[in-house]
Amino acid sequence: MTNEYLPFPSKILNVKKHTEIEYTFSMEYQGDVKPGQFFELSIPKYGEAPISVSGINENSVDLTVRKVGKVTDEVFEHYEGDTLFMRGPYGNGFDLDDYRGKELLVVAGGTGLSPVRGVVDYFASNPEECDGLTLVAGFKTPSDILFFEDQGRWKQTANVILTVDCMEGDFSCQLGMVTEHIPNIEFKDISQAVAIVVGPPMMMHFTALQLVELGFQEKNIWVSQERKMHCGIGKCGHCKVGKHYICIDGPVFNYTIGKNLID
């Protein structure tokens, strides 16, 4: 038998700073992985933390880490060439086939852009595979913006709306919450359009309600309950909501199910 808790060593190939507390670590990895899945990133004697995949490359995965606790504080003490430990990937992730050939709206709040970055990057790089791509990304301030350089590239083939709660400095973004900008988006057929919504629980709740009110079908909306991820294999019980284990059945859920996952 194999030990499901046993991690494997992974070399840090690159570290990119986004904000004072958010860096992307490109970790050596070969294997199948999907956007929206996550790895347990660990350091002996410090513990482990579930981190969503924010990028998928030929021989590596990107993990965007926020410095918010004991484990992540220590992760930030490691640099290119150092080794961390990982296990995974876990969760179901986003299935790109759900969005191919359709109008796709991605709404992300703050670090919620990390797990959907792979989806946006794929369809922005392959615009012929969808019937239009719109990204609405909201952050507290311009200094909190993630993947700013990527957004500049995505704008070449997609409609990118970058918004902040409050403005500071001279940045090319708009003011207001994401829900203030969604009604202004023009869809060819909103009843057949598909949407992904990821961010803080309240943001996802009200954004999904707004999309349904505007004409989206509930079955055409997906959300990610990544805040509830924990051990990854459904053993600790931390992620259990009703009859669902978020680490196993999710973290990505169709809204017809996700709307009932009240934590």
Side-chain angles (χ1 to χ4, degrees):
M1 293 178 63
T2 58
N3 186 341
E4 294 183 278
Y5 286 102
L6 188 64
F8 55 86
S10 177
K11 187 177 182 179
I12 301 174
L13 302 180
N14 181 261
V15 179
K16 181 177 178 58
K17 178 181 178 181
H18 300 291
T19 72
E20 291 302 317
I21 61 170
E22 287 150 327
Y23 288 17
T24 290
F25 291 76
S26 292
M27 306 300 301
E28 190 174 53
Y29 178 75
Q30 292 183 334
D32 294 332
V33 62
K34 295 166 62 176
Q37 289 189 300
F38 66 98
F39 284 87
E40 295 286 347
L41 191 63
S42 64
I43 301 175
K45 297 190 295 184
Y46 288 90
E48 62 182 8
I51 308 293
S52 294
V53 172
S54 61
I56 303 170
N57 311 296
E58 186 175 354
N59 296 305
S60 66
V61 291
D62 292 343
L63 303 179
T64 299
V65 181
R66 170 177 274 193
K67 187 178 183 182
V68 291
K70 177 182 177 182
V71 179
T72 52
D73 284 355
E74 185 62 23
V75 168
F76 272 54
E77 297 299 318
H78 291 70
Y79 307 94
E80 183 175 327
D82 290 345
T83 296
L84 297 174
F85 289 86
M86 304 197 306
R87 58 182 177 89
Y90 297 117
N92 56 353
F94 294 101
D95 188 343
L96 297 180
D97 288 337
D98 289 329
Y99 318 114
R100 283 193 171 93
K102 302 172 183 177
E103 288 183 272
L104 173 58
L105 168 66
V106 178
V107 186
T111 55
L113 184 56
S114 296
V116 297
R117 180 187 175 217
V119 177
V120 175
D121 201 54
Y122 180 85
F123 286 110
S125 301
N126 302 276
E128 71 283 355
E129 293 195 26
C130 66
D131 194 22
L133 169 63
T134 296
L135 168 67
V136 183
F139 298 91
K140 289 183 179 180
T141 71
S143 61
D144 296 310
I145 294 173
L146 301 177
F147 313 118
F148 195 82
E149 294 178 0
D150 290 331
Q151 292 183 48
R153 177 168 50 83
W154 296 338
K155 287 180 180 179
Q156 298 176 21
T157 55
N159 177 26
V160 176
I161 301 171
L162 180 59
T163 178
V164 294
D165 295 343
C166 57
M167 191 69 73
E168 56 181 37
D170 184 19
F171 284 83
S172 57
C173 49
Q174 301 183 49
L175 192 63
M177 295 184 292
V178 294
T179 49
E180 296 178 51
H181 298 275
I182 292 173
N184 300 323
I185 301 170
E186 294 184 5
F187 295 94
K188 299 173 186 176
D189 184 356
I190 199 168
S191 67
Q192 298 303 312
V194 293
I196 297 172
V197 182
V198 184
M202 292 301 288
M203 169 264 176
M204 290 196 295
H205 174 73
F206 286 107
T207 299
L209 288 178
Q210 181 186 55
L211 293 180
V212 172
E213 184 178 337
L214 290 172
F216 273 81
Q217 297 186 61
E218 289 187 350
K219 67 178 183 179
N220 288 340
I221 302 172
W222 284 262
V223 296
S224 179
Q225 301 281 358
E226 63 166 4
R227 189 177 73 86
K228 297 292 289 182
M229 301 182 313
H230 203 64
C231 76
I233 56 178
K235 297 298 184 182
C236 70
H238 182 276
C239 75
K240 194 171 189 296
V241 181
K243 65 178 181 180
H244 293 283
Y245 285 89
I246 304 301
C247 287
I248 299 174
D249 303 321
V252 177
F253 290 92
N254 186 269
Y255 184 60
T256 56
I257 298 174
K259 67 179 181 179
N260 297 314
L261 297 178
I262 308 299
D263 62 57

